[in-house]
Amino acid sequence: MLIAVLAVTTGASLAAALLGISLDITGQMGRELRAYGANILASPANGDLRLEIGGVPVRVPGERTLLDENELVKLKTIFWRHNIVGFAPYLTNLVQVNGQTVALTGTWFDRLLTLPKGAALRTGFANTQNASVDTTFQTGVRTIAPWWQVQGDWVQDDDLTSAMAGARLAQRMSWQLGDEIVAMTMGRTARFRIVGLVNTGGYEEDQVFVALPAAQGLLGLAKGADRVQISALVEPDSKLRPDLRGLDPSEMTPDQYATWYCSPIMGAILTQIREAMPGAEVARIRQISQAEVDFLDRIGLLMSLLTIIALGGSALAVMTAMTASVMERRAEIGLMKALGADERQVGMIFLSEAALIGLAGGAAGYALGLGLAKGLARTVFSAGANVPAVVLPITLLLAMAVALLGSALPVRQAMRLDPVRLLRGK
Amino acid sequence: MSFALRILSASLRHQRARLSVAALAMALGSALVSGLVNLSGDVGGNVGRELRAYGANLVIRPREQPLLVGSEALDLGAVLAASTIPESDLRSAERVEGVVGLVPYLYVVAQTDGGPAILAGLDLVAAQTLNAWWQVQGLWPKAEDEVLAGIRAAAALNLKPGDSLTIRYGRQTRDVRVVGLLETGGAEDDQLFADLPTVQTLTGQPGQVGLVMVGALTSVRPLEAMVKELQTLLPEAEVGTLQQFAKAEATVLDKVRLLIALVAGLVLIAGALTVAGTLNTIAIERRGEVGLMKALGANDRRLAGLFLGEALTVGAAGGMVGYLAGLALAVAIGRNVFESTITPAVWGLPGTLLVGLGVTLAAGLVPMRQAMSVDPARTLRGE
């Protein structure tokens, strides 16, 4: 009987571990996929056509509609605020340095923002709650673009005299770390000391980066960004409630819309960002978001299939173990029958034993499986596992069902046989 | 020898029920091992191929990239990219092992009636494969005078599919027709796209390109090796890695491989334990039989031979069935999840049989040896 309990425990721990991991795999993998960078872009509505080659502007209009970076803190008040991993505003302009035209971009590198106490936080489709305390968070390029490699130092967001130069640009202009450059545009001048060189392999290497206020100052502006990149945790549309998939949100009933709005899918998150940034055109960056969502769907499917198969296989294996265990006790059954017990009574004894084995093994297995799931998540992912509470009842139910099924059939079979033969041990 | 075989076959025949349970347990265990080994062997390759949906991870630029100039005063019709890469040089690059997509571009700033716009000439066929996220409303350009318009460019220049527009570059003029709109959420939305020859003719640079985006499969070869090979083939150009994509891809691939390996390990251990438990139970049940056979005069060697024979038969039968079932499962999962065919792992069959045999021997024969060493009278009594 000990073997039976161990078998059930093993099967249950596998079930709990796999369920614990596969139920949140898209969330875990989704967080890892943020390493690819921003998946949402906000631009000024009715903005001018951008003339850029390889991410570097060829011409920048004198008067531009811009976004207000001070409004960005509102992104941390939307319903899915915990899915907003980070954001960074950019203001790019062409400046003259030593007679050469150079692209200069102001941004936030690692800015500390404060969401003030009393800010209205969206807690449900129709509910808001005021924030009870001030909360601070860091956001900027360092959060959303982890692939930036900087030789030297990063520019501090309150330092208006430092700059980071893209490695390719620095090489072309023969700039070294520590060099002073003078940037001129539209009659204004600013001095910057190059404190870092940026290596990314991409368009960043053709630009000079400064703190956002420094770039704004060169244009005589007190605020303004020509684009905002946002990095958001998004679940694939397959996570949407089945009856809502494929429906156009504008054609949904109020209840359907409320459910859609509160799902962590791209459409809903975009809608909420648009509500927080009324002057902006907000769209998904398809190169990042489409591949991400497709990939998450596949990984989710793979884990689900693996879990189902492993659960099926281990359920059968545990049932086999239970069967063997009952077969071992056929002499007992024969004895009980010879003593006058009927099928129902013998059945009750064995089935209640099986139920207990299932319960005990299931509980022990759940505890073990939970530990396994957390350990596995900590090893593979950057964050710990988020095992949903529903895994406990599912594990217990499965364990008991398997234990009962595995015992029921051999008991019935044994009852059919002549007790003398059972007692003889055949 | 024939006597031993007769005993073996009689034993197998008379214990059909018990041995079927043992064989079933073996089959299940083997199916798990086989399925997981075959699946995890190929996961890296499949996932690596999936991650190419993000597009290029390498870029080839001409070595002397001039500064881009542009201001209010400058005539934007002037030649922008003085250095280019000859298209012919790219033939050898396409054949590098691991390169799955190569899209050459030639960018110019062109003038239209609605104002200046970026016009990109590119290999549209190659772009359709490498840039999987490009969604075209309408048609892809097929003829020389057909263009795609990014949705913001279309809005700014007042263009719809079917409209014609005149493109001016320097002294050259070309009439083109918009056949489709492109929406990506990125820089492409602000640009116009035509086939490479169209733009090369416009700028008078036949056979030249300004930039090449390359997609390379890192699950096949390390990225550094491919960069090195490309650089050797293109000494006049600069082959660079797009860290945004290369780094994220490496991280994700590693994590997926580790995840599948750990899950496989978990399932294998659980499966092995359960199967071992089953076989152990069966073996314990047969101790009375062992005692009887010893009392009848069977020596230990004969008994060991008999049990080994049973174990091998059960193990081989259950193991083979299980291996095939597991392989079929892995193939089905591969087709469903990745739309690709899994190649059976080389050490799938030997691995499965080895594990199966190991479990059978460990679980089944230990109690047997115990039984054989004990006084038969005691085992017959049932102790």
Side-chain angles (χ1 to χ4, degrees):
Chain A
M1 175 139 116
L2 181 64
I3 302 241
V5 177
L6 284 176
V8 173
T9 306
T10 311
S13 61
L14 186 67
L18 285 181
L19 280 172
I21 294 163
S22 59
L23 284 177
D24 193 33
I25 191 72
T26 45
Q28 295 276 28
M29 261 308 162
R31 208 160 297 134
E32 301 301 325
L33 289 177
R34 297 291 73 250
Y36 274 98
N39 48 0
I40 296 174
L41 184 70
S43 315
N46 308 316
D48 305 282
L49 189 65
R50 292 195 180 105
L51 292 172
E52 284 174 4
I53 294 179
V56 176
V58 166
R59 190 181 89 161
V60 173
E63 286 291 315
R64 291 185 278 179
T65 19
L66 296 170
L67 296 171
D68 183 1
E69 75 274 15
N70 299 305
E71 300 283 287
L72 290 175
V73 75
K74 287 203 257 166
L75 288 176
K76 285 292 195 172
T77 67
I78 67 176
F79 180 78
W80 284 117
R81 57 188 165 283
H82 298 299
N83 285 42
I84 303 288
V85 170
F87 43 87
Y90 299 87
L91 182 63
T92 305
N93 208 39
L94 292 173
V95 299
Q96 305 297 316
V97 177
N98 283 347
Q100 308 264 34
T101 306
V102 162
L104 182 117
T105 299
T107 185
W108 289 345
F109 299 99
D110 200 14
R111 184 112 191 269
L112 187 71
L113 288 183
T114 310
L115 187 65
K117 174 172 160 181
L121 301 174
R122 197 77 174 263
T123 50
F125 178 60
N127 314 324
T128 47
Q129 205 178 36
N130 289 334
S132 49
V133 287
D134 283 352
T135 38
T136 57
F137 57 96
Q138 308 264 157
T139 190
V141 164
R142 294 193 81 156
T143 313
I144 68 171
W147 65 89
W148 280 39
Q149 264 174 318
V150 172
Q151 208 188 316
D153 295 318
W154 282 78
V155 168
Q156 300 300 310
D157 289 287
D158 52 5
D159 181 358
L160 305 187
T161 58
S162 296
M164 292 193 305
R168 232 188 341 263
L169 179 62
Q171 197 184 46
R172 218 180 296 141
M173 303 284 280
S174 304
W175 290 339
Q176 313 273 6
L177 277 179
D179 281 358
E180 272 234 339
I181 60 172
V182 179
M184 289 192 282
T185 185
M186 302 214 265
R188 286 188 205 87
T189 308
R191 298 193 115 79
F192 298 105
R193 203 163 68 86
I194 298 175
V195 297
L197 297 176
V198 180
N199 272 294
T200 65
Y203 68 85
E204 296 90 348
E205 291 195 4
D206 292 312
Q207 305 184 32
V208 173
F209 292 92
V210 297
L212 187 60
Q216 290 162 342
L218 256 180
L219 294 174
L221 298 170
K223 60 182 181 167
D226 64 64
R227 77 195 75 192
V228 178
Q229 284 189 343
I230 303 169
S231 176
L233 276 173
V234 169
E235 300 260 7
D237 281 2
S238 55
K239 289 270 169 168
L240 188 57
R241 214 176 64 188
D243 58 321
L244 297 177
R245 282 176 220 163
L247 280 185
D248 187 346
S250 54
E251 290 171 12
M252 288 181 188
T253 67
D255 278 333
Q256 286 178 325
Y257 187 80
T259 310
W260 175 87
Y261 188 93
C262 297
S263 311
I265 56 172
M266 183 55 96
I269 293 179
L270 285 175
T271 303
Q272 293 170 16
I273 295 177
R274 286 183 191 121
E275 286 170 359
M277 298 175 68
E281 222 173 69
V282 184
R284 76 197 75 188
I285 301 174
R286 283 185 195 277
Q287 178 173 10
I288 306 296
S289 77
Q290 193 159 301
E292 173 173 41
V293 152
D294 283 344
F295 185 77
L296 288 177
D297 265 336
R298 283 185 209 271
I299 290 290
L301 183 60
L302 178 65
M303 283 304 300
S304 298
L305 286 177
L306 279 179
T307 302
I308 290 172
I309 289 168
L311 285 188
S314 77
L316 285 174
V318 173
M319 271 194 250
T320 312
M322 295 298 294
T323 301
S325 168
V326 170
M327 272 169 51
E328 188 197 332
R329 298 164 72 189
R330 277 201 290 195
E332 239 177 278
I333 297 176
L335 184 64
M336 283 192 253
K337 235 191 136 169
L339 290 174
D342 69 20
E343 184 168 332
R344 236 178 35 113
Q345 285 168 318
V346 176
M348 278 313 293
I349 295 173
F350 275 84
L351 288 183
S352 35
E353 263 184 34
L356 270 169
I357 291 175
L359 200 60
Y366 173 76
L368 191 59
L370 191 65
L372 281 169
K374 292 207 162 157
L376 198 143
R378 214 170 302 133
T379 314
V380 177
F381 300 111
S382 349
N386 188 5
V387 176
V390 73
V391 173
L392 174 57
I394 293 180
T395 308
L396 289 176
L397 259 136
L398 278 175
M400 281 172 53
V402 166
L404 285 168
L405 268 168
S407 309
L409 295 169
V411 166
R412 269 187 75 192
Q413 207 195 31
M415 287 300 300
R416 299 265 160 79
L417 296 175
D418 180 12
V420 177
R421 291 183 64 190
L422 288 172
L423 281 168
R424 262 212 310 248
K426 285 210 85 164
Chain B
M1 186 52 184
S2 61
F3 175 67
L5 278 175
R6 263 199 294 144
I7 298 279
L8 176 62
S9 59
S11 166
L12 291 171
R13 248 183 301 132
H14 286 273
Q15 301 179 86
R16 266 192 308 259
R18 183 190 285 146
L19 290 180
S20 332
V21 173
L24 180 62
M26 267 307 299
L28 283 172
S30 311
L32 278 175
V33 175
S34 154
L36 285 169
V37 165
N38 281 304
L39 197 61
S40 47
D42 241 3
V43 149
N46 278 306
V47 170
R49 232 165 292 141
E50 289 305 317
L51 290 177
R52 285 276 58 72
Y54 277 97
N57 48 357
L58 297 178
V59 57
I60 305 174
R61 292 186 176 84
R63 201 165 272 284
E64 287 297 331
Q65 181 91 41
L67 285 173
L68 295 173
V69 288
S71 68
E72 301 291 316
L74 200 73
D75 174 359
L76 291 168
V79 171
L80 254 185
S83 42
T84 53
I85 302 171
E87 235 180 308
S88 48
D89 285 3
L90 300 175
R91 297 289 147 261
S92 53
E94 277 169 357
R95 286 193 293 267
V96 168
E97 188 199 340
V99 168
V100 290
L102 195 138
V103 183
Y105 287 80
L106 185 61
Y107 286 98
V108 293
V109 183
Q111 289 287 359
T112 72
D113 291 326
I118 302 287
L119 172 66
L122 73 159
D123 181 345
L124 287 161
V125 174
Q128 256 181 304
T129 320
L130 185 64
N131 301 340
W133 66 95
W134 277 31
Q135 280 202 357
V136 168
Q137 212 185 311
L139 300 166
W140 283 77
K142 293 259 168 27
E144 256 186 33
D145 293 341
E146 294 180 347
V147 299
L148 274 179
I151 50 167
R152 290 172 52 116
L157 303 175
N158 224 333
L159 298 168
K160 300 183 305 299
D163 286 352
S164 302
L165 85 151
T166 310
I167 302 222
R168 273 182 291 279
Y169 183 79
R171 277 191 291 265
Q172 295 272 4
T173 307
R174 197 72 182 268
D175 282 324
V176 295
R177 204 163 55 89
V178 176
V179 294
L181 297 181
L182 178 63
E183 178 171 9
T184 66
E188 294 92 348
D189 288 355
D190 290 69
Q191 300 172 352
L192 301 170
F193 300 89
D195 203 18
L196 199 48
T198 310
V199 180
Q200 287 166 334
T201 319
L202 192 66
T203 60
Q205 294 173 298
Q208 301 291 325
V209 301
L211 186 75
V212 188
M213 302 297 269
V214 179
L217 268 185
T218 57
S219 44
V220 163
R221 273 172 89 183
L223 200 60
E224 295 77 33
M226 293 188 274
V227 169
K228 227 168 146 195
E229 189 176 335
L230 283 169
Q231 189 67 82
T232 324
L233 290 170
L234 300 159
E236 298 299 301
E238 207 180 87
V239 180
T241 308
L242 293 173
Q243 297 293 353
Q244 175 180 7
F245 298 97
K247 278 192 173 159
E249 187 172 324
T251 309
V252 171
L253 264 176
D254 280 345
K255 286 189 195 279
V256 172
R257 283 199 187 107
L258 185 57
L259 174 69
I260 299 294
L262 288 178
V263 168
L266 263 182
V267 177
L268 285 180
I269 292 174
L273 285 176
T274 321
V275 171
T278 309
L279 295 178
N280 193 285
T281 309
I282 293 175
I284 287 172
E285 186 186 325
R286 296 178 67 200
R287 280 191 298 192
E289 222 179 290
V290 174
L292 182 63
M293 283 193 264
K294 274 196 91 164
L296 289 175
N299 69 25
D300 282 354
R301 254 195 45 191
R302 275 250 159 84
L303 280 175
L306 176 64
F307 296 138
L308 200 62
E310 282 178 356
L312 284 174
T313 316
V314 166
M320 269 317 289
V321 170
Y323 171 74
L324 292 171
L327 181 60
L329 260 171
V331 168
I333 292 183
R335 209 172 295 143
N336 254 299
V337 178
F338 297 113
E339 283 139 32
S340 75
T341 38
I342 302 251
T343 41
V346 165
W347 40 285
L349 182 55
T352 307
L353 291 178
L354 218 76
V355 173
L357 231 56
V359 170
T360 311
L361 291 173
L365 295 189
V366 168
M368 285 304 179
R369 269 193 71 198
Q370 267 185 331
M372 288 198 290
S373 58
V374 172
D375 177 16
R378 292 181 62 190
T379 48
L380 277 171
R381 263 210 306 262
E383 283 171 27

